Amino acid sequence: MVRQRAVLLVVALAAASSSRGEQLPETTLYASGQGSYHTFRIPALAVTPQGTVLAFAEGRRKSAGDAGRIDLLVRRSTDSGDTWSEPQIVWSDGDNTCGNPCPVVDRDTGVIWLPMTWNRGDDHEKAIMAGTSRDTRRVFMTCSRDDGLTWEKPRDVTAATKRPEWRWYATGPGGAIQLSRGPHAGRLVVPCDHSHADSREYGSHAIVSDDHGATWRLGGMAPKRGVNECAVVELADGRLLLTMRNYDRAKKVRQVAFSDDGGETWRDQGFDDALIEPVCQAAIDRLRWPEGDAPGVLLFSNPASQSKRERMTVRGSFDDGRTWPVSLLLHEGPAAYSDLAVLADGRIACLYEAGDKGSSETIRLARFAADRLLDAAD
């Protein structure tokens, strides 16, 4: 019966992929022009041990650009996304840039850690990469010990997490993970990226904590350059999979790398031909672990196009990312960054940027239930 239900899940998801006729219920959490903000960008999701959903975003005060005055915001939901609090400022620093949320929930302590980055508002990425900026890109950490209601003053962890020769730096954006299996169980692993001073090329890496966020340090780097914004997931065999934004346009797909030691080192970097992309951020998460004859399920979201930021799509894998046989189109039009989470009620949530004329018009939340599809197929 377990195997039968696993097969039915694949069939049901495939049917959803091929017969998407009806719009999934969605909630717009951030819309351009709300409050004192010109644009909202860079979504990130976390679900706390109490089931509270936290939806993070950058609030960009004066323009849609990546520089200038940018605040880091969060909205909370205690009913799996049915209702939401008003946006709360997690971090604001005058006219400077505070962003790149990459939350991770420590299941052992209940603390929500939030890695972030900072730079002067008048320093742009191009100048930071060229070494001509007034300051540099810095790494900060904050946390909430009360289910996301309040946040501690951000602390600078740049010295422990950034090499001196790196210039640009980004945490995530999206979600980080806590390892649940093997010798490194309990470790917090945050996917990050950086730029090299010698070539101005990007690279991907991880930072880790083995003491529940008290201290942070550098993990390993992806062996090849030409990649940056990345996401990480734990595989059933104990390895980690890092999926990375790819600048090698010879293949318009994601790049991946693997770690056998909890993110200390990365190897076997290559292309994932199934995951097409237009050079953009993406998200990956685990819906469930393998159990008995039932396969585990990984989830992946990105704009599934090789030419434009459009067609926000959630994919499913039943073999730990070797293949992605099923997909669900959330939005046909302009779409860009996203993050994934599994809600306390078992539904899948995708928080993503989308619009009618441009991808930064809204950040919206789609929720859908794989179990509901399975039950309908029984």
Side-chain angles (χ1 to χ4, degrees):
M1 182 61 181
V2 172
R3 181 182 294 275
Q4 179 185 7
R5 290 180 66 83
V7 171
L8 287 172
L9 174 61
V10 176
V11 172
L13 286 173
S17 172
S18 60
S19 62
R20 167 125 168 43
E22 165 178 338
Q23 180 72 30
L24 287 172
E26 292 186 335
T27 303
T28 296
L29 294 185
Y30 300 96
S32 295
Q34 282 182 340
S36 57
Y37 296 100
H38 180 282
T39 301
F40 298 92
R41 285 215 58 204
I42 320 300
L45 271 177
V47 179
T48 75
Q50 287 73 37
T52 299
V53 187
L54 304 176
F56 299 90
E58 292 181 3
R60 301 185 172 189
R61 292 274 186 174
K62 297 180 179 179
S63 74
D66 295 335
R69 180 172 179 176
I70 297 177
D71 300 336
L72 192 53
L73 310 174
V74 69
R75 297 187 70 176
R76 296 176 75 250
S77 173
T78 57
D79 52 15
S80 290
D82 288 340
T83 61
W84 290 87
S85 70
E86 291 300 312
Q88 169 194 356
I89 295 178
V90 176
W91 189 26
S92 180
D93 185 35
D95 290 330
N96 297 319
T97 300
C98 307
N100 282 96
C102 193
V104 56
V105 177
D106 190 318
R107 297 182 302 273
D108 302 319
T109 66
V111 176
I112 306 117
W113 291 97
L114 185 61
M116 310 169 290
T117 52
W118 173 97
N119 58 267
R120 286 177 58 111
D122 53 4
D123 280 341
H124 293 251
E125 182 174 354
K126 184 177 180 180
I128 294 172
M129 291 184 68
T132 59
S133 55
R134 294 170 178 81
D135 205 313
T136 188
R137 188 83 153 172
R138 302 183 185 275
V139 191
F140 281 77
M141 192 74 61
T142 185
C143 71
S144 174
R145 304 179 189 276
D146 57 6
D147 203 45
L149 285 169
T150 62
W151 297 85
E152 295 186 358
K153 180 181 179 180
R155 56 187 171 98
D156 192 331
V157 295
T158 308
T161 59
K162 183 181 179 183
R163 290 188 175 183
E165 68 270 21
W166 292 350
R167 290 177 175 170
W168 185 254
Y169 196 109
T171 45
I177 62 172
Q178 183 181 37
L179 305 189
S180 60
R181 300 185 173 194
H184 304 291
R187 172 177 287 176
L188 307 178
V189 180
V190 181
C192 303
D193 68 79
H194 57 274
S195 73
H196 297 268
D198 58 354
S199 65
R200 303 187 193 177
E201 289 181 291
Y202 294 110
S204 297
H205 70 278
I207 63 174
V208 303
S209 175
D210 288 312
D211 54 12
H212 300 288
T215 61
W216 295 85
R217 61 180 176 83
L218 273 173
M221 291 187 295
K224 300 176 184 177
R225 300 182 182 184
V227 291
N228 64 353
E229 293 172 332
C230 52
V232 65
V233 71
E234 187 176 9
L235 302 180
D237 63 7
R239 295 178 301 157
L240 303 185
L241 183 158
L242 192 69
T243 176
M244 300 169 285
R245 173 170 165 164
N246 170 36
Y247 285 86
D248 182 353
R249 293 290 83 191
K251 281 203 169 186
K252 298 178 182 181
V253 297
R254 301 286 291 178
Q255 288 199 44
V256 294
F258 299 88
S259 176
D260 295 312
D261 51 17
E264 300 283 359
T265 60
W266 298 91
R267 61 174 179 80
D268 298 337
Q269 184 171 341
F271 299 98
D272 188 330
D273 291 333
L275 300 181
I276 62 174
E277 71 154 21
V279 184
C280 193
Q281 180 264 9
I284 196 167
D285 201 359
R286 178 172 290 283
L287 172 62
R288 72 181 191 198
W289 291 97
E291 184 176 353
D293 290 333
V297 180
L298 295 186
L299 305 169
F300 175 87
S301 62
N302 82 328
S305 169
Q306 294 184 317
S307 58
K308 297 179 181 179
R309 291 185 173 186
E310 61 184 6
R311 296 182 56 80
M312 178 57 61
T313 301
V314 176
R315 299 180 185 271
S317 173
F318 305 92
D319 54 13
D320 266 359
R322 289 186 290 275
T323 62
W324 298 91
V326 295
S327 64
L328 181 64
L329 179 65
L330 300 183
H331 180 73
E332 179 76 36
Y337 286 34
S338 62
D339 200 14
L340 292 162
V342 180
L343 303 177
D345 61 13
R347 285 179 294 172
I348 300 163
C350 182
L351 185 68
Y352 69 99
E353 301 173 341
D356 296 322
K357 297 181 179 179
S359 61
S360 59
E361 293 173 9
T362 65
I363 295 178
R364 56 187 69 173
L365 182 75
R367 296 172 294 166
F368 56 98
D371 286 347
R372 179 170 61 84
L373 296 173
L374 177 66
D375 292 341
D378 276 345

